[in-house]
Amino acid sequence: MENDSTMYVGLDVHKEPVSVAYAIDAGVVESLGKIGTSKTEIERLCKRLESKASHVRVVYEAGPCVYGLFRQLVERGFEWMVCAPSLVPRKPGDRVKTDRRDAMKLARALRAGDLSAVHVPTIDNEAFRDLARAWATAREDQRQAKQRLKSFLLAHGARYMGRADWSAAHKGWLSVYSFGSAWQQLAFEEHRRTIDDRLNQCERLEAALREAVVSWRFYPVVQALQAMRGIQFLTAVGMVSELGDLSRFMHPRQLMAWFGVTPSEHSSVGKRRQGSITKTGNSYARKLLIEAAWSYRHTARIGPQVHRRHEGLPKAVVDPAWDAQVRLCQRYRKLTARGMNVGISIVAVARELVGFLWDIARLGMVSTASRRAQRA
């Protein structure tokens, strides 16, 4: 083994087993077989890799096994990368896919520098993100449960004469409605009970989020983003938990690309053709962003809710939030006045909103750090 040799290792990771391939420097890519996922198996693999080269670089695709293997092998001093599966180069004519070939392809692409890494959150950030995703899942389950109940009532001709928006009057009507068949009544009551269960679950998780976010590292960013119109507590928590450390985005355009709101493009021979947005990156964060952008359809103003969220925030955060509201509201009116579709106009507003989010999040962290320094 030469002292300056580098080994490139590709892993095709599954629940069980893991396929391993490697190449030393510019040598041939070889398969190392399959290993288990237990700690003993991983330790044995590490020793084999360390015996073959002084410098080891390892890569595997992000997937359901997430970052446990990554953190385990970083402790061994290996240089690691978790790559984006959708950005792994693939030959158009390659129709054979096996675990062994996938591992060899990853090792080859790592050596060529053709892979794009994904951000790996810290253990605390991942734990908080799991809590935020649990709330988002519960809210989606509640929405689906409400839709199932409405479909059930519609199928049996039971129609509420007012607006079925789950107001007090609507809930009162549901509480007294009954079916002639005992079986249908039982099904109706179970649908209602499911909605109540999901509502209680959402309330428990929201209370846990409000309690946990105070001690979270990115709590200042959550507070700063709430200065924006259309971004309340749960929206800010959802965005920041998915984004993680915003300092890795050196320019707002990088954050726009992460949200997937940049236009696709196919330009050649002096002609520029732009299409719909790429929709790459995190779909849940993009959904929250688009929902927030809809609030900029109306005239710029500081309503009671936004005014309450501004209390306690530094002027350096509040002023850019107002500038964003003025600009984005005008932007929406200009686009629609030109005849642009409302949905497309909202996406354009959302893209510009990302730039303000990037700036305000940074200002929130800086202002918090400066206040801590003054106290010290």
Side-chain angles (χ1 to χ4, degrees), residues 160 163-176 192:
Y160 179 62
R163 184 175 180 181
D165 55 357
W166 305 99
S167 61
H170 182 215
K171 291 180 180 178
W173 177 80
L174 289 173
S175 64
V176 299
R192 286 184 54 205

Side-chain angles (χ1 to χ4, degrees), residues 5-6 21 39 48 56-57 74 82 129 133 137 158 187 203 210 235 239 247 268 303 331 339 343 352 362 375:
S5 60
T6 301
K39 190 172 182 178
R48 292 183 65 182
V56 181
R57 299 183 61 191
V74 163
V82 181
R129 186 184 66 181
R133 286 181 175 179
T137 302
E203 292 176 349
R210 291 185 181 276
T235 302
M239 281 188 180
S247 63
S268 180
R331 176 69 170 164
E352 291 197 25
R362 289 172 57 253
R375 293 173 190 166

Side-chain angles (χ1 to χ4, degrees), residues 63-339:
C65 298
V66 202
Y67 309 118
L69 180 61
F70 170 85
R71 296 190 178 108
Q72 185 177 351
L73 294 182
V74 163
E75 296 177 358
R76 301 285 303 194
F78 294 167
E79 183 179 341
W80 266 84
M81 173 193 292
V82 181
C83 67
S86 60
L87 300 180
V88 176
R90 290 177 173 83
K91 295 180 180 179
D94 190 358
R95 301 301 177 90
V96 179
K97 185 183 185 303
T98 63
D99 294 346
R100 174 177 171 274
R101 288 171 66 94
D102 286 346
M104 296 176 68
K105 179 172 61 178
L106 286 173
R108 195 175 294 111
L110 176 64
R111 182 173 59 184
D114 292 337
L115 298 177
S116 299
V118 300
H119 173 66
V120 179
T122 63
I123 295 177
D124 290 339
N125 292 344
E126 186 179 13
F128 188 86
R129 186 184 66 181
D130 290 341
L131 181 60
R133 286 181 175 179
W135 175 85
T137 302
R139 187 182 66 165
E140 179 63 19
D141 290 343
Q142 182 188 15
R143 186 194 66 80
Q144 293 179 359
K146 289 180 177 180
Q147 184 61 43
R148 285 193 295 268
L149 177 57
K150 285 185 175 181
S151 300
F152 178 81
L153 293 173
L154 182 62
H156 296 86
R159 298 187 180 182
Y160 179 62
M161 300 308 297
R163 184 175 180 181
D165 55 357
W166 305 99
S167 61
H170 182 215
K171 291 180 180 178
W173 177 80
L174 289 173
S175 64
V176 299
Y177 192 87
S178 62
F179 289 86
S181 170
W183 297 339
Q184 289 179 339
Q185 184 65 28
L186 178 60
F188 173 64
E189 294 296 338
E190 287 297 330
H191 280 303
R192 286 184 54 205
R193 184 175 179 178
T194 300
I195 295 174
D196 293 338
D197 291 343
R198 296 289 77 77
L199 178 61
N200 294 333
Q201 184 182 20
C202 287
E203 292 176 349
R204 291 195 304 269
L205 289 170
E206 181 178 346
L209 280 173
R210 291 185 181 276
E211 180 181 356
V213 74
V214 179
S215 58
W216 190 34
R217 172 190 173 191
F218 297 119
Y219 180 51
V221 180
V222 174
Q223 289 181 304
L225 291 186
Q226 292 182 74
M228 302 287 294
R229 182 176 184 173
I231 301 181
Q232 300 183 16
F233 171 76
L234 292 173
T235 302
V237 165
M239 281 188 180
V240 179
S241 64
E242 297 295 334
L243 279 165
D245 189 0
L246 270 76
S247 63
R248 72 183 192 273
F249 300 104
M250 303 306 296
H251 194 276
R253 290 193 186 93
Q254 296 177 345
L255 186 55
M256 293 174 189
W258 184 88
F259 273 103
V261 292
T262 54
S264 57
E265 183 173 346
H266 182 80
S267 300
S268 180
V269 198
K271 294 182 179 180
R272 188 184 185 193
R273 301 181 181 88
Q274 288 186 314
S276 60
I277 59 174
T278 59
K279 293 186 179 181
T280 57
N282 193 294
S283 59
Y284 176 60
R286 183 169 58 254
K287 174 186 175 182
L288 295 176
L289 176 69
I290 299 298
E291 288 178 352
W294 277 98
S295 64
Y296 293 92
R297 294 174 297 161
H298 311 291
T299 305
R301 60 184 292 268
I302 301 296
Q305 292 184 352
V306 177
H307 182 72
R308 284 194 296 269
R309 298 202 300 266
H310 284 179
E311 295 177 359
L313 294 178
K315 192 173 185 296
V317 172
V318 174
D319 288 348
W322 170 248
D323 294 339
Q325 190 175 162
V326 172
R327 174 179 173 83
L328 295 178
C329 291
Q330 292 178 351
R331 176 69 170 164
Y332 174 80
R333 288 196 299 270
K334 288 181 180 178
L335 291 175
T336 53
R338 283 161 37 186

